[in-house]
Structures are given as C-alpha cells and as structure tokens.
C-alpha cells in the first residue's frame, strides 16, 4: 500500500517538475530559435547552427548530429544493461515491471546505495584544504616539469591571497605567475573560477611578456582552529580550475590574441576534463589527502575506487539523457519551424531505449542552456569529455605521473593556446584521429 502511494507520488512529482516553465517557455524558445535563424540568414548562413558551429571544432551541424547519434548508438548496450538492473530493482520493490521516466532517477539512487560503499562524511575528513592545495601543486609540478615558487612579502589584495612564480624545471625560464585566492570572505565573488590577469606574448624586442592568472574560490579556511575540510566535489572543482591556470601559464603563442584562455570553445575544457581524472586515481588522490587528525594516513585505495565507481555508475543512461537534449538543441537550430514538443516526443523513445516521454511534461520548457549561452552548442561538454577520455586512456592512464608524457602534453597541446587548429593539435599529439572508443569502453567497464 505504502509502495503504491510512493509510486503514485513519484509520478505526480515528476510530471509537475517536468512542466516547470510551462507552455509559455516553449513558445518563447520557438520564437527565439526563429529569430536566430533570421539573424544567421542575414549573415549569409542557411541556418543558425551553421553560423554558430563554423568556428568550432566539428565545423558543421551535420558532423555534430552524426557524433551524437553514434554516441547514443554505441552507449545502447551498456545503457540497456543498466536499465535492466533498474527494472529488476523495481520489480523487487514494487512487483511492477512498468518502468517510466519517473522511476529513472529514483532507482538509480536506490541502486547506488547498494552498489557503492561510500560514506561522504567520512571521505571529507581526508581533505584538509592546506593538504589538498600542496598535493595539487606537487602533482602539476611533477607531471608538467614545472616549478612553483611562492613569492612572500608582496602586496596583494587580501592577506589570505598567495602568489607564485612558475618556472620551467629544466631551463629555469620564467613562464608566468598565478595567484591563489581560494578562501571565502564577505563580499567576494561566490564561484570557483579562473580569471586571466595578463596574456603572454612575444614582444617586438624579442622578450616574452609572461601570463598571469588568479584562481578564485570560496573554500572555508579554518574550522575550530584547524585547516578546514573540503568535500570531494570541491577537490575536483579546484583541480579542474587549476588545470586552466596551468593551461594559461604554459601558453607560448606569439600573439596575445591567441594566448591565455582565448581558446576555441570545444577545446577550452578538454585539458581540464582530462586532468580531473587525477582526482579519481589512488596514486594521485593519496598525494592530496590525509586524515585531518593524522595527515600521514592518506585515503584508502578502496575509497578511491568507490569514488570512481560512483562517478561512472549508470553512465550510459545518464549520458543518453544528455544526448537527447543535445540532439533537440542541434535539430531545432539546424532546421526551421520545428515543433519542439513533437520533436521530443518522437526522439525520446528512440534515444531512451523505448521509454516514452512522461505524458504531460515538456523538457524543453526548463532547459536553460538551449535558450541562451549554449544555443546550438549544447553538445560541447560531451564532445570535450570524449576527447579528454581518449587523451587519458591513450597517454596517461597507466603512468599518471610520467613527466615525459606530461611535458610532451604541455609542449604540444597546452603551449600553442589558440594559435593552432585544436583538432590538428590533438591529432598531432595522439598520432591519429581522436576516437569515441576510449570513452565508451571506460564507461562500459565502470558503469555497472
Ligand atoms: Zn573549466
């Protein structure tokens, strides 16, 4: 009786949530899309997607549609196996095999409870902020043959801000500077991000102007007089953002215009997504962790495994949901007068393994990325993840702190900045065209 009640309530909530934004938002979105097509035609393009994608890595909308469709197809096997696990769980709990979209997130969460043995509160005790920062700096120095020297007694905007010079470890050439402004204080910008302060370039007298960047975050500094503890997602976020700093200071482009983080949109996130992997491997995670009452005791290998497992669990189904929305974004921006609700109703069962769209819901009414900021380029995150997985598996996975591989990556992928075609940079570094397979295989291996 209770289970029946919960099931009905779950559906009611899912339907109400799926109507967020309502029909008005869908009408606004359709109007926005038509105006975008009109704008692109004034500039001589056939449709808005062609205009938005021309300067990006895939170059054409057709290529993106092929990419998304192939991803969806290649993930179908693993996603089907994941779905069968969730269906079995539902039968076990409710005795009912009818599985709808309202069940998806609920049963993924339930399955995670069985499959991942991880106490999030306990994990946090292994990440005192000071230790995370020093371990992170050491990993980047070791991997990329860099040396970070802290500069003391220098005027900065707050006494918790630290500043470092960056040197090439073998030649001792000065490469740049970065500021760590990671602790929270009143009135400070509330997000974790990187801001470039100066781009590098070659000056007319033959000297180099070096780049500088600041990483901003809102980490707590102390707790009860001790170094504050970071939640694991905060560790990953810091590591991700610091990768942008290293990309910035490694840049050796001739012109300032192509320096810094002025990178083609699909390329900008690839190095940071690649480097996030170091937060999920024991050897590197142990370098950034230590029990807060005894920092010689680093996080256990089992806990590292569980963190990775939690990241990848049900990755096929989660990615398929993302692909569905990216397909909608790409189709409406590459064809005119598409009825968005009809399109989603038609695509949903094709992408989501036969599960129909939940009656009465309209996912496009509450999908902000499609409305502004990522119009026609929602695919970008999946694209970057696929390239990052290929780079990780091909070059780093078996030897995470291999300085030879790191230095080669720094010189071939990070140093050119925006001065070379990104696809050329990656193809040249890999020695072949990038492939979907490492991403599909890693998710297939770890998702169940
Ligand atoms: Zn980023």
């Amino acid at each position: 009786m209770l289970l029946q009640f919960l099931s009905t309530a779950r559906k009611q909530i899912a339907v109400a949530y799926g109507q967020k934004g309502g029909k008005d938002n869908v009408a606004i979105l359709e109007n926005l899309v038509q105006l975008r097509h009109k704008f692109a035609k004034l500039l001589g393009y056939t449709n808005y997607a062609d205009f938005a994608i021309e300067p990006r890595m895939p170059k054409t909308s057709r290529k993106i549609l092929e990419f998304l469709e192939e991803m969806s197809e290649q993930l179908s096997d693993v996603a089907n196996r994941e779905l069968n696990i969730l269906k079995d769980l539902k039968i076990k709990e409710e005795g009912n095999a009818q599985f709808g979209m309202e069940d998806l997130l609920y049963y993924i969460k339930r399955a995670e409870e069985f499959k991942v043995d991880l106490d999030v509160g306990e994990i946090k005790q292994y990440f005192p902020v000071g230790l995370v920062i020093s371990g992170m700096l050491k990993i980047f120095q070791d991997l990329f043959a860099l040396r970070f020297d802290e500069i003391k007694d220098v005027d900065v905007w707050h006494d918790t801000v630290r500043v470092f010079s960056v040197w090439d470890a073998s030649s001792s050439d000065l490469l740049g500077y970065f500021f760590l402004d990671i602790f929270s204080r009143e009135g400070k910008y509330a997000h974790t991000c990187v801001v470039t302060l100066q781009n590098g370039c070659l000056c007319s007298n033959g000297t180099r102007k070096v780049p500088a960047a600041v990483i901003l975050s809102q980490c707590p500094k102390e707790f009860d007089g001790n170094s504050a503890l970071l939640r694991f997602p905060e560790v990953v976020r810091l590591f991700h953002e610091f990768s942008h700093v290293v990309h910035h200071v490694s840049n050796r482009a001739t012109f300032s215009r192509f320096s810094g983080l002025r990178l083609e949109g699909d390329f900008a996130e690839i190095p940071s997504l690649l480097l996030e992997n170091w937060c999920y491997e024991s050897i590197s995670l142990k370098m950034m962790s230590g029990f807060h009452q005894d920092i010689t005791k680093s996080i256990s290998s089992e806990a590292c495994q569980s963190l990775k497992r939690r990241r990848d669990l049900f990755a096929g189904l989660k990615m398929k949901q993302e692909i569905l929305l990216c397909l909608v974004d790409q189709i409406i921006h590459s064809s005119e007068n598409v009825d968005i609700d009809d399109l989603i109703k038609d695509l949903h069962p094709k992408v989501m393994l036969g599960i129909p769209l939940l009656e009465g819901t309209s996912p496009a009414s509450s999908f902000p990325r499609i409305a502004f900021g990522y119009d026609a380029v929602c695919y970008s995150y999946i694209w970057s993840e696929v390239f990052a997985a290929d780079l990780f598996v091909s070059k780093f996975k078996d030897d995470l702190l291999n300085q030879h591989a790191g230095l080669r990556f720094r010189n071939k992928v990070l140093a050119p900045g925006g001065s070379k075609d990104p696809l050329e940079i990656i193809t040249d570094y890999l020695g072949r065209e990038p492939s979907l397979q490492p991403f599909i295989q890693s998710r297939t291996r770890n998702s169940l």
Side-chain angles (χ1 to χ4, degrees):
M1 190 68 188
L2 177 65
L3 285 171
Q4 179 59 43
F5 169 76
L6 289 175
S7 172
T8 309
R10 193 160 64 238
K11 189 160 185 176
Q12 283 171 342
I13 291 166
V15 170
Y17 189 80
Q19 291 171 340
K20 210 167 52 149
K23 290 201 176 308
D24 288 352
N25 261 9
V26 179
I28 291 169
L29 179 61
E30 283 175 343
N31 192 28
L32 259 179
V33 172
Q34 291 318 313
L35 289 171
R36 283 175 188 146
H37 284 312
K38 200 169 162 186
F39 166 79
K41 281 184 171 174
L42 287 172
L43 295 173
Y45 293 88
T46 320
N47 55 59
Y48 184 74
D50 280 349
F51 160 76
I53 292 152
E54 189 185 64
R56 301 180 76 106
M57 278 176 87
K59 305 281 190 249
T60 65
S61 183
R62 171 94 321 256
K63 174 103 182 150
I64 295 167
L65 286 168
E66 282 167 13
F67 166 77
L68 292 170
E69 280 160 8
E70 195 181 344
M71 281 285 289
S72 179
E73 197 182 319
Q74 300 247 2
L75 286 165
S76 285
D77 271 358
V78 67
N80 249 320
R81 276 184 275 139
E82 292 166 1
L83 185 59
N84 286 336
I85 289 175
L86 301 181
K87 282 179 175 172
D88 286 348
L89 200 55
K90 185 170 180 185
I91 292 173
K92 225 175 182 175
E93 289 205 350
E94 299 178 47
N96 179 0
Q98 194 68 31
F99 195 94
M101 280 308 286
E102 71 277 17
D103 297 314
L104 192 71
L105 284 180
Y106 173 77
Y107 278 103
I108 284 181
K109 189 110 188 86
R110 290 287 289 137
E112 279 175 353
E113 288 166 14
F114 295 120
K115 287 177 172 285
V116 184
D117 180 21
L118 190 70
D119 183 336
V120 178
E122 200 198 321
I123 289 289
K124 186 178 171 175
Q125 300 186 63
Y126 287 86
F127 297 116
V129 61
L131 199 62
V132 171
I133 298 294
S134 61
M136 178 179 83
L137 298 184
K138 179 160 172 41
I139 290 169
F140 279 93
Q141 290 177 95
D142 290 353
L143 181 61
F144 293 122
L146 296 168
R147 195 180 81 238
F148 303 152
D149 285 345
E150 183 160 11
I151 307 171
K152 303 273 188 182
D153 303 324
V154 64
D155 272 346
V156 283
W157 53 94
H158 192 269
D159 60 10
T160 57
V161 176
R162 297 167 71 191
V163 55
F164 294 77
S165 52
V166 182
W167 307 81
D168 179 89
S170 53
S171 69
S172 289
D173 284 347
L174 177 66
L175 297 179
Y177 296 94
F178 67 85
F179 295 78
L180 287 183
D181 184 1
I182 59 161
F183 294 115
S184 62
R185 58 179 179 271
E186 215 183 307
K188 188 179 167 186
Y189 182 62
H191 298 282
T192 299
C193 65
V194 171
V195 179
T196 57
L197 302 175
Q198 176 169 289
N199 282 351
C201 66
L202 189 63
C203 304
S204 52
N205 64 5
T207 59
R208 280 202 79 85
K209 187 164 91 173
V210 294
V214 54
I215 177 166
L216 296 169
S217 190
Q218 283 284 2
C219 301
K221 190 170 190 322
E222 287 182 345
F223 182 73
D224 280 352
N226 297 312
S227 183
L229 304 173
L230 295 182
R231 289 180 300 114
F232 182 68
E234 292 173 320
V235 175
V236 179
R237 191 68 212 260
L238 264 182
F239 206 88
H240 176 105
E241 294 303 326
F242 192 71
S243 309
H244 287 308
V245 171
V246 170
H247 198 167
H248 181 58
V249 295
S250 298
N251 193 302
R252 306 296 281 168
T254 303
F255 298 106
S256 170
R257 169 66 184 81
F258 301 112
S259 172
L261 299 175
R262 290 179 171 181
L263 304 161
E264 191 277 300
D266 297 326
F267 180 50
E269 291 301 321
I270 292 173
S272 298
L273 289 169
L274 158 71
L275 284 152
E276 277 186 22
N277 284 291
W278 274 249
C279 298
Y280 294 91
E281 302 292 333
S282 311
I283 187 167
S284 38
L285 198 54
K286 281 174 192 270
M287 289 170 73
M288 293 190 278
S289 64
F291 189 60
H292 67 114
Q293 287 167 336
D294 174 8
I295 59 165
T296 61
K297 215 174 122 195
S298 58
I299 192 167
S300 69
S301 302
E302 293 73 39
C304 297
Q305 281 294 327
S306 296
L307 286 166
K308 186 152 61 167
R309 194 156 162 66
R310 197 174 62 158
R311 181 193 64 177
D312 295 339
L313 214 54
F314 298 101
L317 284 169
K318 288 174 187 167
M319 186 54 85
K320 270 186 165 274
Q321 276 191 292
E322 181 74 15
I323 289 171
L324 173 73
L325 292 171
C326 293
L327 276 170
V328 172
D329 168 56
Q330 206 50 228
I331 291 168
I332 61 173
H333 285 112
S334 56
S335 324
E336 283 189 75
N337 299 314
V338 177
D339 182 308
I340 296 176
D341 280 339
D342 282 352
L343 173 68
I344 299 182
K345 206 178 267 181
D346 177 53
L347 271 181
H348 201 283
K350 291 178 186 157
V351 178
M352 294 306 298
L353 309 164
I355 308 176
L357 178 70
L358 192 57
E359 193 66 39
T361 65
S362 178
S365 67
S366 56
F367 183 38
R369 279 189 288 152
I370 209 169
F372 58 90
Y374 287 87
D375 28 287
V377 297
C378 288
Y379 72 91
S380 185
Y381 193 79
I382 304 179
W383 179 273
S384 305
E385 273 216 286
V386 167
F387 278 65
D390 193 3
L391 290 165
F392 181 65
V393 172
S394 314
K395 300 290 180 186
F396 294 103
K397 190 174 174 293
D398 299 324
D399 195 358
L400 285 174
L401 298 174
N402 183 328
Q403 198 173 81
H404 176 71
L407 189 56
R408 208 170 154 265
F409 183 79
R410 194 183 112 199
N411 290 332
K412 287 206 162 245
V413 181
L414 302 183
S419 65
K420 264 176 85 178
D421 179 84
L423 199 55
E424 228 176 86
I425 291 178
I426 293 175
T427 305
D428 183 35
Y429 176 69
L430 287 171
R432 57 163 170 78
E433 299 253 313
S435 160
L436 295 181
Q437 287 315 312
F439 178 86
I440 304 288
Q441 282 161 11
S442 67
R443 294 311 188 265
T444 304
R445 197 168 41 244
N446 300 330
S447 82
L448 293 172

